[in-house]
Amino acid sequence: AAAPLAAMPALAPPRRVLLNRTSLSNTFMTQPQQRNTAGRIFGGFLMRRAFELAFTTAYLFGGRLPRFEEVDEVAFHLPVEVGELVQFESAVLYVSTPEDGGDDAAPGAGGGAANPNPDPDDPDAASLGLLRCGSDTSDGRPRAHVEVRARVMKPEDCSSVVSNTFNFTFSYNEAIAGSIRLPLPANLEEARRVVQRRRMDSLQEAAAH
């Protein structure tokens, strides 16, 4: 489903966009005033920086001022030390809309509801199955699910490691529900990220009901 966007962008469906084209990033060096009582960077500071990037990403993606809905999941994989170079990178993993199938369904999807459990090893299945899924949109407001990953960069070693992942949901005015773009993963790694986030959101929704 993402192939025309990558190989023939002029012929691709107008409402599709590659997931990596939704990405924003910023890089900074951590400072002593941001440390906690253990001498490491305070998690709340990292979360605030991640939220600011996620909000900006959602704003540029939707073209309308987004409304913050919720923090979906925050994971602290590794501690971040003072003086380390940290890069934040965001992406809109998927979009939930009030629509269900119809003319805007993905090619080959056959309309109707999306497959809630696509094969994570099949990028096309993930692309088709995750065009519309996730949060309740009964209020008519489309929702963008934004992931921010923090990496500790080590230029001396030409290496980096993911230290944190943050997931946020933003909604938009229902007026753009029919025009908001739908991100598509272009490779297996992106497809797995989308599938993993979709499954976590489904579990949260099931627990809430």
Side-chain angles (χ1 to χ4, degrees), residues 76-101:
F76 292 86
H77 307 293
L78 295 170
V80 178
E81 305 291 345
V82 173
E84 288 189 314
L85 195 64
V86 181
Q87 182 181 77
F88 280 75
E89 184 175 15
S90 64
V92 180
L93 292 187
Y94 72 94
V95 170
S96 304
T97 75
E99 302 170 1
D100 184 15

Side-chain angles (χ1 to χ4, degrees), residues 46-61:
L46 298 173
M47 185 180 294
R48 179 176 66 83
R49 292 296 298 257
F51 173 79
E52 291 171 351
L53 184 61
F55 183 89
T56 304
T57 301
Y59 199 170
L60 288 174
F61 175 77

Side-chain angles (χ1 to χ4, degrees), residues 94-97 114-116 129-137 143 145 194 198 201-202 205:
Y94 72 94
V95 170
S96 304
T97 75
N115 175 12
L130 293 170
L131 284 174
R132 296 181 183 82
C133 50
S135 299
D136 177 25
T137 55
R143 286 166 168 76
H145 303 263
V194 177
R198 171 66 183 101
D201 288 345
S202 295
E205 291 171 19

Side-chain angles (χ1 to χ4, degrees), residues 1-2 118-130 184-192 194-195:
D119 182 357
D121 293 324
D122 182 355
D124 285 336
S127 299
L128 297 176
L130 293 170
L184 292 176
N187 54 55
L188 186 59
E189 192 273 336
E190 289 179 355
R192 283 175 173 162
V194 177
V195 171

Side-chain angles (χ1 to χ4, degrees), residues 108-167:
N115 175 12
N117 293 297
D119 182 357
D121 293 324
D122 182 355
D124 285 336
S127 299
L128 297 176
L130 293 170
L131 284 174
R132 296 181 183 82
C133 50
S135 299
D136 177 25
T137 55
S138 58
D139 59 0
R141 300 175 64 92
R143 286 166 168 76
H145 303 263
V146 181
E147 180 184 74
V148 178
R149 295 197 293 184
R151 291 180 178 274
V152 174
M153 317 292 287
K154 298 184 180 297
E156 296 83 359
D157 302 329
C158 294
S159 64
S160 66
V161 60
V162 175
S163 60
N164 308 82
T165 55
F166 308 87
N167 289 274

